Amino acid sequence: MSTNTDSLRLELYVRTLSPPGARTRQEEVIERLQRLEDEGQITDFYVKVWGRQIDPTTNAADTDQGQFILNRIAEFKQWALAENTTLESFYQTHEQSSSITGQDHTTIVLPKMGLAEYEGTELQQVTPCTEGDEVTSVINHLDELERRLTDQPTELVAPTPVAEE
């Protein structure tokens, strides 16, 4: 996977901006993303609150926000399929029955925190994800991204000729 920092952007998805128990980790991730942007390592990042779950059959899912979430989930799942990885343990589907209406419906439970990396418009990586028995967390993703960015070859400058004495 090549990285072109001219078009590298990250999208952080969170259930809430003030999660009990996970606040420190969320603050750390946002701080790291801000630092990467400030240093010019990434073009942009944004934080999107998307709640705990979404029911694709509701009127709320038909709103712009609902369609955005469902489209992102579909894009993430397509990426996972192409990359031979899975998101299933982080985007769980639950069948529920309403005690009021008696109707069954499906909800998709969203991860507490998710990170998507784009190069231009192409999705490069989604976390958390699982490949075999190995889980890649948002923190692992950022660690690996920072390694890639610091290991990038810099522009070669021709050495200044040294006069022989």
Side-chain angles (χ1 to χ4, degrees), residues 37-85:
E37 183 182 46
D38 290 347
E39 293 173 354
Q41 297 288 331
I42 62 173
T43 304
D44 191 20
F45 82 93
Y46 80 90
V47 179
K48 184 88 169 162
V49 178
W50 64 356
R52 184 181 186 289
Q53 62 189 11
I54 186 167
D55 180 344
T57 64
T58 62
N59 289 333
D62 285 334
T63 65
D64 288 344
Q65 175 68 12
Q67 287 300 298
F68 177 84
I69 292 168
L70 292 173
N71 288 339
R72 277 302 192 259
I73 292 169
E75 180 183 24
F76 295 170
K77 287 183 175 184
Q78 185 176 14
W79 169 86
L81 186 62
E83 294 296 319
N84 197 29
T85 189

Side-chain angles (χ1 to χ4, degrees), residues 95-114:
E95 300 295 326
Q96 297 179 336
S97 182
S98 171
S99 59
I100 297 170
T101 66
Q103 293 180 331
D104 293 336
H105 60 277
T106 302
T107 60
I108 302 168
V109 179
L110 304 167
K112 291 179 183 175
M113 187 166 44

Side-chain angles (χ1 to χ4, degrees), residues 20-165:
R23 185 177 196 165
T24 303
R25 188 172 339 143
Q26 187 183 85
E27 292 287 323
E28 174 191 332
V29 168
I30 292 170
E31 188 175 289
R32 288 175 76 179
L33 293 172
Q34 186 63 60
R35 182 179 46 76
L36 287 170
E37 183 182 46
D38 290 347
E39 293 173 354
Q41 297 288 331
I42 62 173
T43 304
D44 191 20
F45 82 93
Y46 80 90
V47 179
K48 184 88 169 162
V49 178
W50 64 356
R52 184 181 186 289
Q53 62 189 11
I54 186 167
D55 180 344
T57 64
T58 62
N59 289 333
D62 285 334
T63 65
D64 288 344
Q65 175 68 12
Q67 287 300 298
F68 177 84
I69 292 168
L70 292 173
N71 288 339
R72 277 302 192 259
I73 292 169
E75 180 183 24
F76 295 170
K77 287 183 175 184
Q78 185 176 14
W79 169 86
L81 186 62
E83 294 296 319
N84 197 29
T85 189
T86 182
L87 306 173
E88 296 310 313
S89 59
F90 305 105
Y91 294 84
Q92 298 175 355
T93 302
H94 292 278
E95 300 295 326
Q96 297 179 336
S97 182
S98 171
S99 59
I100 297 170
T101 66
Q103 293 180 331
D104 293 336
H105 60 277
T106 302
T107 60
I108 302 168
V109 179
L110 304 167
K112 291 179 183 175
M113 187 166 44
L115 186 64
E117 176 183 337
Y118 289 86
E119 185 177 323
T121 58
E122 188 175 330
L123 181 59
Q124 297 294 314
Q125 186 171 0
V126 176
T127 51
C129 65
T130 306
E131 187 173 346
D133 293 335
E134 187 176 328
V135 174
T136 303
S137 69
V138 170
I139 300 296
N140 299 138
H141 182 171
L142 278 174
D143 291 345
E144 188 270 330
L145 174 64
E146 288 175 335
R147 273 191 300 277
R148 273 189 288 136
L149 292 172
T150 57
D151 288 345
Q152 276 191 340
T154 56
E155 185 178 319
L156 296 176
V157 178
T160 306
V162 178
E164 293 183 15
E165 295 184 25

